[in-house]
Amino acid sequence: RDLLRSHHLFASAEPRLIDALLQFATTKVFQADAAIFRKGEPGDALYGILEGRARVFVEGPDGREVILNILEAGSIFGEIALLDGSTRTASVAALEKCKVLRLPRAHFLPILRREPDLALNIIELLCQRLRWTSAVIEDSAFLDLRGRLAKRLLVLADTFGQSDARGTRIKVRLTQKSLAAMLMVTREAVNKQVAEWRENGVIEMDDGYIVVRDLATLTAMVIAD
């Protein structure tokens, strides 16, 4: 109930609507790396993260993974296949132990048809997804590796950051392999850039977490590119 009320998709929903949505809702716990759903599976439900974090990704024919997004508690996902009745466009797996809410499509769609405000909110959510995809394509076309990595770290710092005297700690454990998967580049390329920034004091690594010590320098790299 708190998850639905806090998300902008259901922000204007009356208590009766929240009650109707939750009538057939279920919850499930996924351990780290467990698949919540996979690309190509039926879009039979809308999901929300109650606890933990998850990654959205696709895999190439060679098994190489590209991370499209990271979802935290409070996120709603799986709306595309839910609405058009087709298959999932990407896979989602737990980054850490994750508790997930599931709203079945068969129950959700009849409510959506009679709630125009909810339908408008769904359209807004889809537009946000489209803008995100467009931005990723634009970055790939016009930013070099340094600019793309700087921009991704800035987004992660803004979304998951916690500031202290040392800088802004990104509260998600990110390996350099994960960063490479986000940018669709090799791990070696990311390793080289991260090593340079660590040497120059722009970022540091602390027990698997990235701490951004110089946000201004990263921002300047994005603008310069």
Side-chain angles (χ1 to χ4, degrees):
R1 187 179 299 274
D2 290 341
L3 168 67
L4 296 186
R5 285 176 173 169
S6 65
H7 196 278
H8 72 270
L9 184 60
F10 306 103
S12 59
E14 297 178 5
R16 62 168 181 81
L17 176 57
I18 299 294
D19 290 340
L21 288 168
L22 292 177
Q23 185 176 357
F24 295 97
T26 58
T27 62
K28 184 175 180 179
V29 174
F30 295 86
Q31 299 301 320
D33 294 324
I36 297 172
F37 59 71
R38 294 192 176 279
K39 181 179 179 180
E41 292 181 348
D44 58 355
L46 184 71
Y47 291 85
I49 299 180
L50 296 166
E51 300 172 8
R53 296 185 179 93
R55 73 185 192 278
V56 184
F57 66 98
V58 293
E59 291 180 300
D62 59 355
R64 186 168 63 91
E65 183 177 299
V66 174
I67 298 177
L68 304 177
N69 203 0
I70 294 177
L71 307 172
E72 62 179 337
S75 297
I76 299 289
F77 60 99
E79 72 285 344
I80 295 176
L82 172 91
L83 292 175
D84 69 8
S86 188
T87 56
R88 299 294 183 189
T89 58
S91 301
V92 180
L95 265 178
E96 57 196 36
K97 187 177 180 180
C98 211
K99 186 176 182 181
V100 174
L101 176 74
R102 183 179 184 275
L103 300 172
R105 182 176 191 269
H107 182 63
F108 184 85
L109 287 187
I111 295 175
L112 183 63
R113 290 189 181 100
R114 63 176 184 262
E115 299 288 342
D117 288 343
L118 180 58
L120 288 173
N121 289 345
I122 282 278
I123 292 172
E124 181 181 340
L125 180 62
L126 291 172
C127 289
Q128 290 176 358
R129 300 281 197 257
L130 181 59
R131 289 179 184 276
W132 170 263
T133 302
S134 297
V136 170
I137 294 172
E138 183 177 345
D139 290 346
S140 297
F142 298 114
L143 294 180
D144 62 12
L145 170 62
R146 186 184 70 160
R148 289 160 62 196
L149 182 55
K151 185 172 183 179
R152 183 52 62 98
L153 289 179
L154 289 170
V155 170
L156 290 168
D158 182 62
T159 306
F160 304 107
Q162 182 177 37
S163 298
D164 55 30
R166 296 170 60 186
T168 302
R169 175 189 293 265
I170 298 173
K171 298 181 293 181
V172 180
R173 287 182 181 271
L174 291 170
T175 65
Q176 293 179 31
K177 180 179 179 181
S178 296
L179 288 173
M182 291 180 186
L183 301 176
M184 295 175 282
V185 298
T186 65
R187 183 174 57 183
E188 290 74 18
V190 170
N191 290 351
K192 182 178 180 180
Q193 187 60 68
V194 167
E196 178 185 320
W197 286 345
R198 292 178 67 181
E199 183 178 348
N200 295 335
V202 177
I203 65 173
E204 66 179 56
M205 304 298 295
D206 182 19
D207 191 29
Y209 294 92
I210 297 174
V211 180
V212 180
R213 299 185 61 187
D214 192 343
L215 288 169
T217 293
L218 291 182
T219 301
M221 290 176 186
V222 176
I223 295 173
D225 286 338

